[in-house]
Amino acid sequence: MSDWYPGSRDAQIHLIETWLRVFLTRATEWGIPEAVVTELAAIFGAAKDILAFVKSGERTPASVVHCNEIFKDLETQARYIKKHYLLVPPLTLADLALLLLPQPDSTYTPVGKPTGQPSVTVTYPGGPHLLQVHLTFLAGTQPLDSRSDYGYALYRGVMPQGGATLEQAASAKHYLMKPPLDGDDGLLHYRFTHRRTETVSFAAEEAGMTAYFCSRYENGKGEPGDWGPVVSAIIP
């Protein structure tokens, strides 16, 4: 079956607009978290606005670059939702049609979960409260299956100096009380991405705290591989 994600930007806008309309009444039933839908809606709004701008006579080279970045973010978020929440079952074939998605291919080609591990490095891009995360294949680990479309599931956490108090750890930020040993050790899912570089922003009050990152590969079915190493950096 050919790729389900449209090639043209107008078609991508139509697809995501349809999803958001359907999600208004079906997201809870399908187990899609409100935060995931909210993020999709935010990226969609930005994509729709920048597309209208670059189609106007006021477009600039910078706006075209920005448009490319926004639409890449839109695709990444859409593929994450499709892979994690729009599955048959629990969805039905009628639900897929409602979401403008193709019917599943009846030819089954087994692809195992990822065997390789990603490597994460962190640099300082120069802006306040920003870190740049670089993702690549970890040398010496098992190769990935070339038949599957892999991406990086990136996780992050923040630890105040000396470790979080019980109150800080229980807050919405879920600050870390100790350095994590792997991605399951208190880190929170940040995003799924096909990009090799992600810029991560932090709150101003987190300057001087330590940010931790860990990643693992996920295949097209959402199956994760093993964690790569945990890395850390001081938030500027």
Side-chain angles (χ1 to χ4, degrees):
M1 181 176 64
S2 60
D3 189 26
W4 59 270
Y5 197 74
S8 78
R9 286 177 175 169
D10 286 330
Q12 291 165 12
I13 290 293
H14 178 58
L15 175 71
I16 304 305
E17 194 168 42
T18 301
W19 282 19
L20 290 172
R21 185 171 60 251
V22 174
F23 289 167
L24 286 174
T25 57
R26 306 295 295 277
T28 301
E29 174 189 345
W30 293 337
I32 307 175
E34 182 180 351
V36 172
V37 178
T38 299
E39 183 175 0
L40 179 67
I43 301 172
F44 169 77
K48 194 172 182 180
D49 289 345
I50 191 64
L51 182 61
F53 183 80
V54 298
K55 285 184 174 182
S56 72
E58 300 180 2
R59 63 184 289 171
T60 63
S63 68
V64 173
V65 171
H66 184 51
C67 184
N68 292 337
E69 292 175 345
I70 291 294
F71 271 85
K72 183 61 179 175
D73 287 342
L74 185 66
E75 178 181 355
T76 297
Q77 184 70 358
R79 289 188 182 278
Y80 176 83
I81 292 172
K82 169 70 167 62
K83 182 172 65 174
H84 289 82
Y85 304 109
L86 306 183
L87 306 174
V88 178
L91 274 66
T92 66
L93 297 184
D95 292 331
L96 293 185
L98 189 65
L99 293 165
L100 307 182
L101 293 172
Q103 303 298 303
D105 194 336
S106 59
T107 304
Y108 175 68
T109 303
V111 176
K113 74 175 188 177
T115 52
Q117 296 168 261
S119 171
V120 181
T121 56
V122 181
T123 59
Y124 293 89
H129 323 308
L130 295 177
L131 292 174
Q132 202 159 57
V133 177
H134 306 272
L135 300 157
T136 189
F137 185 79
L138 181 63
T141 63
Q142 296 184 52
L144 297 169
D145 190 331
S146 61
R147 296 173 298 170
S148 188
D149 181 26
Y150 292 104
Y152 300 94
L154 180 61
Y155 287 69
R156 54 163 273 187
V158 175
M159 188 179 76
Q161 294 184 15
T165 64
L166 288 174
E167 183 179 4
Q168 288 174 315
S171 71
K173 295 279 190 174
H174 296 290
Y175 287 119
L176 298 168
M177 300 180 71
K178 59 181 179 61
L181 299 177
D182 59 29
D184 287 321
D185 195 13
L187 297 185
L188 301 177
H189 181 267
Y190 176 64
R191 67 169 42 182
F192 174 85
T193 181
H194 287 284
R195 292 184 177 184
R196 297 293 183 89
T197 301
E198 290 286 345
T199 300
V200 183
S201 62
F202 298 86
E205 62 269 19
E206 293 174 333
M209 297 185 184
T210 304
Y212 291 88
F213 298 95
C214 192
S215 182
R216 60 187 178 187
Y217 287 109
E218 286 187 2
N219 64 16
K221 297 183 289 184
E223 296 175 325
D226 293 331
W227 293 110
V230 177
V231 300
S232 65
I234 301 298
I235 300 170

